[in-house]
């Protein structure tokens, strides 16, 4: 069943619906199978390991074997900050971001519903993922991108997988409004995270964190927040495992936003249940350059219900954290993903995070998604002749 998170109105799993027809709020899919966690043993490590928790027809699953991503212990960085740190590396998904989890479920649902065209607005990763999964399923794909604000790797992916790429003169929020209008006219099946089936896939990050820790919850999960789907999804995942009796505690959900695009953090500071949209959001982390997140209400509930936090970080803090993670731990992530590390550092310094806490930072997309930002942060390589003498001269000066 699909249910409105505000008024409780109920809809069928085959309804094509994005927001509540009664009150306009966001929807969620209810899913509570009665299973023992023993059934997960010996299954392949993809997100479909937890298929009983995925509300789609098992016989039609469209998958590129997403999920089962690395869960890296980061001892050096953790020791420096005085916490037990694990990093969930979502850049290792098939198209290089966590969106693949949501798209696997979303595209499977699209096939079940018999639609022929799917679409989304995107800051980049959603479009890259949708283009790939639509190609695999043989569906037409239309993506709307904010002109000039999508990182190169993501744009290349969306175009190369054969999506119809439309550049919108406006920001992500405006592109989302436009594509939603198309969806409501029946021109395409909308696969932004306002579609509750997307979050059903992404909740598997929460399942995996618990499973990776040996069926325990960490003290805290920290992640970047843009459209606010992922924080809502991960909270849904850990809550479902808690309600199934698989874990005894729940993590504190901690969302990090860029200073120039922080409606959720502002709402949390004031204790509000909904956001005031930010006009003209701006940040180097283009993936989270969003002023009016559609899943804001769900995200705020996740933060309040888990006794969590929301914080902002500056672009400089994001870029320093990106470099720190790459150079200290060998994990290459795009700027938005590094917001989780920058946020951890800031919250430790502020004394909001206790020494010794067990933390999982979710890093959401691969370094190569945004090669320009990476290259701009480095010195040009030195060019020399290919002989020992020239090389020795250069090495002596390092
Ligand atoms: N990190 C990355 C790398 C992202 O691409 C996104 C969102 C987020 C974090 C934030 O996740 O929106 O669920 O709060 N990217 C979307 C896109 C908006 O279009 O690719 P969220």
């Amino acid at each position: 069943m699909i249910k409105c998170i505000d008024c409780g109105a109920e809809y069928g799993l085959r309804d094509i619906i994005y927001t509540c027809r009664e009150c306009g709020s966001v929807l969620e899919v209810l899913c509570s199978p009665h299973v023992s966690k023993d059934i997960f043993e010996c299954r392949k490590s993809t997100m479909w390991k937890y298929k009983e928790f995925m509300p789609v027809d098992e016989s039609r699953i469209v998958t590129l074997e997403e999920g089962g991503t690395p869960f890296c212990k980061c001892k050096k960085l953790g020791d420096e900050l005085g916490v037990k740190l694990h990093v969930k590396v979502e850049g290792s998904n098939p198209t290089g971001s966590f969106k693949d989890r949501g798209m696997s479920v979303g595209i499977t649902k699209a096939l079940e519903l018999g639609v022929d065209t799917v679409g989304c607005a995107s800051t980049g990763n959603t479009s890259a993922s949708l283009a790939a999964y639509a190609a695999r399923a043989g569906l037409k794909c239309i993506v709307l991108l904010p002109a000039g604000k999508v990182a190169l790797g993501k744009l290349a992916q969306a175009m190369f997988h054969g999506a119809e790429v439309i550049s919108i003169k406006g920001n992500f929020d405006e592109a989302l409004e436009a594509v939603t209008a198309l969806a409501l006219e029946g021109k395409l099946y909308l696969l932004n995270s306002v579609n509750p089936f997307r979050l059903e896939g992404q909740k598997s990050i929460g399942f995996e964190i618990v499973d990776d820790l040996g069926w325990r919850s960490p003290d805290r999960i920290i992640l970047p927040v843009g459209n606010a789907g992922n924080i809502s999804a991960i909270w849904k995942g850990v809550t479902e495992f808690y309600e199934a009796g698989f874990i005894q505690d729940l993590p504190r959900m901690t969302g990090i936003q860029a200073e120039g695009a922080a409606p959720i953090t502002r709402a949390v500071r004031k204790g509000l249940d909904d956001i005031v949209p930010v006009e003209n959001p701006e940040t180097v982390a283009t993936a989270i350059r969003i002023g009016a997140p559609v899943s804001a209400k769900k995200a705020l509930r996740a933060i309040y219900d888990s006794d969590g936090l929301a914080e902002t970080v500056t672009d400089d803090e994001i870029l320093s954290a990106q470099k720190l993670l790459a150079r200290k731990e060998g994990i290459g992530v795009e700027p938005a993903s590094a917001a989780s590390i920058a946020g951890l550092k800031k919250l430790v310094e502020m004394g909001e995070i206790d020494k010794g806490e067990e933390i999982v930072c979710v890093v959401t997309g691969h370094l190569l998604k945004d090669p320009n930002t990476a290259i701009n942060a480095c010195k040009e390589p030195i060019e020399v002749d290919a002989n020992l003498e020239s090389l020795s001269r250069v090495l002596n000066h390092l």
Side-chain angles (χ1 to χ4, degrees):
M1 184 208 312
I2 301 174
K3 197 168 176 184
C4 171
I5 70 156
D6 271 327
C7 76
E10 293 175 1
Y11 303 94
L13 284 174
R14 295 193 55 82
D15 283 354
I16 297 189
I17 183 167
Y18 309 108
T19 50
C20 181
R21 289 190 195 111
E22 304 292 328
C23 74
S25 191
V26 278
L27 305 170
E28 69 179 354
V29 181
L30 297 189
C31 185
S32 45
H34 295 286
V35 291
S36 149
K37 70 177 171 14
D38 299 342
I39 59 167
F40 305 134
E41 268 175 39
C42 305
R43 284 189 185 167
K44 199 167 175 175
S45 180
T46 77
M47 68 171 240
W48 292 100
K49 180 175 177 184
Y50 317 99
K51 61 186 180 187
E52 286 77 8
F53 285 79
M54 301 295 167
V56 285
D57 175 359
E58 201 188 316
S59 68
R60 312 180 81 128
I61 293 173
V62 180
T63 178
L64 289 163
E65 305 206 352
E66 49 293 316
T69 52
F71 187 70
C72 294
K73 188 162 188 187
C74 290
K75 186 159 171 15
K76 282 191 279 178
L77 191 50
D79 284 352
E80 192 174 298
L81 297 171
V83 297
K84 285 188 214 130
L85 177 61
H86 304 268
V87 169
K88 185 75 175 154
V89 186
E90 288 297 293
S92 294
N93 276 298
T95 76
S97 84
F98 69 95
K99 306 286 180 180
D100 294 342
R101 299 174 184 265
M103 286 309 169
S104 181
V105 171
I107 288 286
T108 301
K109 192 69 203 173
L111 287 188
E112 262 178 43
L113 295 170
V115 302
D116 58 12
T117 307
V118 292
C120 69
S122 179
T123 56
N125 282 322
T126 300
S127 66
S129 183
L130 182 61
Y133 283 80
R136 192 157 173 87
L139 298 175
K140 243 184 98 182
C141 176
I142 299 171
V143 306
L144 275 58
L145 306 180
K149 292 292 182 182
V150 174
L152 194 65
K154 308 173 188 183
L155 187 60
Q157 288 178 294
M159 296 195 300
F160 201 75
H161 284 297
E164 208 59 68
V165 176
I166 301 172
S167 209
I168 294 289
K169 295 177 193 159
N171 60 30
F172 168 83
D173 302 301
E174 290 160 315
L176 183 57
E177 228 179 287
V179 79
T180 304
L182 278 180
L184 295 178
E185 288 236 305
K187 299 275 197 296
L188 50 83
Y189 181 57
L190 185 62
L191 276 170
N192 278 101
S193 57
V194 67
N195 182 325
F197 288 97
R198 275 275 312 280
L199 302 197
E200 291 305 291
Q202 287 169 210
K203 73 184 180 185
S204 61
I205 299 174
F207 295 166
E208 286 180 18
I209 288 173
V210 161
D211 195 341
D212 289 332
L213 280 172
W215 300 99
R216 279 192 304 111
S217 166
D219 294 319
R220 187 182 297 276
I221 296 177
I222 307 182
L223 72 158
V225 173
N227 215 16
N230 212 29
I231 190 168
S232 313
I234 296 175
W235 177 241
K236 188 170 193 285
V238 288
T239 305
E240 283 177 7
F241 270 15
Y242 178 80
E243 281 165 3
F246 301 167
I247 49 174
Q248 272 62 60
D249 302 291
L250 284 163
R252 293 179 166 190
M253 300 305 297
T254 301
I256 309 297
Q257 296 197 289
E259 209 164 71
I264 303 264
T265 310
R266 288 190 196 174
V268 170
R269 284 183 184 145
K270 293 187 183 147
L272 305 177
D273 295 330
D274 204 357
I275 54 142
V276 179
V278 169
E279 304 286 333
N280 307 317
E282 207 46 84
T283 166
V284 67
T286 50
I288 51 172
R289 187 175 167 270
I290 295 174
V294 291
S295 296
K297 278 190 174 177
K298 286 184 183 173
L300 288 168
R301 283 184 198 186
I303 291 167
Y304 293 139
D305 290 353
S306 70
D307 195 17
L309 284 171
E311 192 46 73
T312 59
V313 286
T314 64
D315 281 0
D316 282 349
E317 286 168 335
I318 289 173
L319 295 176
S320 306
Q322 185 191 20
K323 210 173 237 183
L324 184 68
L325 189 61
R327 304 215 166 161
K328 206 175 255 306
E329 299 288 356
I331 299 173
V333 304
E334 68 166 286
S337 313
S340 59
I341 302 293
L344 164 64
K345 196 162 173 285
K346 183 170 175 184
L347 290 167
V348 166
E349 282 160 10
M350 289 166 70
E352 291 281 355
I353 287 181
D354 295 331
K355 293 281 167 195
E357 267 194 42
E358 184 164 45
I359 311 264
V360 176
C361 280
V362 181
V363 291
T364 44
H366 199 280
L367 173 70
L368 294 176
K369 289 284 193 170
D370 189 349
N372 294 330
T373 304
I375 286 173
N376 289 341
C378 300
K379 286 193 302 221
E380 293 247 332
I382 306 163
E383 207 174 307
V384 295
D385 293 329
N387 60 55
L388 187 58
E389 197 191 329
S390 318
L391 280 171
S392 302
R393 213 177 308 128
V394 169
L395 291 183
N396 286 341
H397 283 94
L398 290 184

